[in-house]
Amino acid sequence: MVKVVAGNWKMHHGPDAARRFFSRFRPKVENGSVRLVFFPPDLSLEAAIGSTRVPADFGVQNIHWEAAGARTGETSAEMAREAGATLALIGHSERRHIFGETDAEVDRKVGAAARAGLVPVVCVGELLEERRAGRLEEVLRRQVGAFAGSLAGVAEFMVAYEPVWAIGTGETATPDDAAEAHGIVRDALGTLGRAPVLYGGSVKPGNAAALVSAPDVDGVLVGGASLDPDVFARIAEACGGAGS
Ligand code: 13P
């Protein structure tokens, strides 16, 4: 499977910065050796899509589950699709832990993305306390179990394993930690098919190749290190050379 190299810009890079990013982003990878995906802020989506010069897919960082309505500040899956997104990040740990998004809401968003024809990229991951208490498997099975039903019959989706303690902290799961968690996610997905499972949490040029070489790790979801075009290009290069 071609490795997925996805950048989640979070609340960074307005339209001008998005255009500047793509004027410098030149990964030295063979055409098609990695699948590049970007999740810019909604307001930068059009600028990003219009200025990229490499093959890449674009997604939004969040959606509401309703198609339209009185939901001030929200964006629907249909609107995201109309604006050029083909994927939607759902249930990112910052949505769950800063904005209080629940498993039930994540499930509704997965259903909405699928109905609108967006590829759901659903995030799961345990807190440090949960890991220390030996609850990794229980937490991942609960999170995956909450949305798996909404993925039945969905042609394409991805799951991102992002341990909360590794996000933006400089702490990275070891390739063995990632392989263990990805194995649990894959098992919890059961018969849904061989979807890519991405690792996220302090991915850098120096650790990307080892992470994507671990069993069941099909790519990376990169936060901070995706903001600099040279650094993100080096991550893409590292993953492109890692094979399947
Ligand atoms: P960092 O790469 O900054 O740790 O963020 C990971 C992440 O949350 C990607 O979605």
Side-chain angles (χ1 to χ4, degrees):
M1 193 188 283
V2 170
K3 302 295 181 187
V4 177
V5 181
N8 172 13
W9 287 356
K10 308 190 179 183
M11 198 169 70
H12 297 281
H13 287 350
D16 284 345
R19 280 186 280 267
R20 280 198 300 278
F21 178 96
F22 284 110
S23 69
R24 280 179 45 206
F25 181 62
R26 293 277 185 283
K28 295 185 204 69
V29 288
E30 300 274 310
N31 221 351
S33 67
V34 292
R35 178 175 176 192
L36 291 167
V37 179
F38 291 90
F39 294 96
D42 288 0
L43 288 176
S44 305
L45 185 63
E46 194 178 341
I49 292 173
S51 57
T52 181
R53 290 178 233 171
V54 291
D57 296 318
F58 288 85
V60 288
Q61 299 173 9
N62 180 38
I63 50 165
H64 195 271
W65 53 83
E66 299 288 348
R71 298 288 185 277
T72 301
E74 296 288 330
T75 297
S76 72
E78 285 76 4
M79 290 168 184
R81 184 131 174 79
E82 188 182 332
T86 55
L87 305 96
L89 211 54
I90 296 174
H92 188 276
S93 90
E94 287 146 21
R95 302 286 333 158
R96 291 176 186 264
H97 299 294
I98 301 175
F99 300 102
E101 204 165 290
T102 63
D103 283 339
E105 288 168 341
V106 168
D107 181 43
R108 292 180 83 173
K109 293 181 179 197
V110 169
R115 279 193 302 280
L118 293 176
V119 175
V121 182
V122 199
C123 304
V124 297
E126 83 287 5
L127 297 164
L128 187 57
E129 309 83 275
E130 293 168 333
R131 167 165 282 261
R132 287 200 175 133
R135 295 179 50 214
L136 171 71
E137 176 158 2
E138 172 208 320
V139 170
L140 295 182
R141 284 191 184 279
R142 188 202 78 226
Q143 291 176 334
V144 173
F147 62 78
S150 295
L151 289 172
V154 173
E156 189 184 358
F157 68 90
M158 303 185 202
V159 176
Y161 167 63
E162 300 205 299
V164 180
W165 48 271
I167 297 178
T169 59
E171 297 264 338
T172 319
T174 64
D176 284 349
D177 290 338
E180 181 193 7
H182 285 221
I184 295 167
V185 168
R186 204 169 285 300
D187 193 61
L189 288 170
T191 55
L192 284 170
R194 179 100 179 69
V197 182
L198 316 184
Y199 169 80
S202 297
V203 175
K204 303 275 182 296
N207 60 24
L211 284 162
V212 295
S213 301
D216 282 322
V217 180
D218 304 308
V220 285
L221 179 56
V222 187
S226 72
L227 295 174
D228 180 305
D230 302 323
V231 174
F232 194 53
R234 279 162 48 215
I235 292 175
E237 285 156 28
C239 294
S244 56

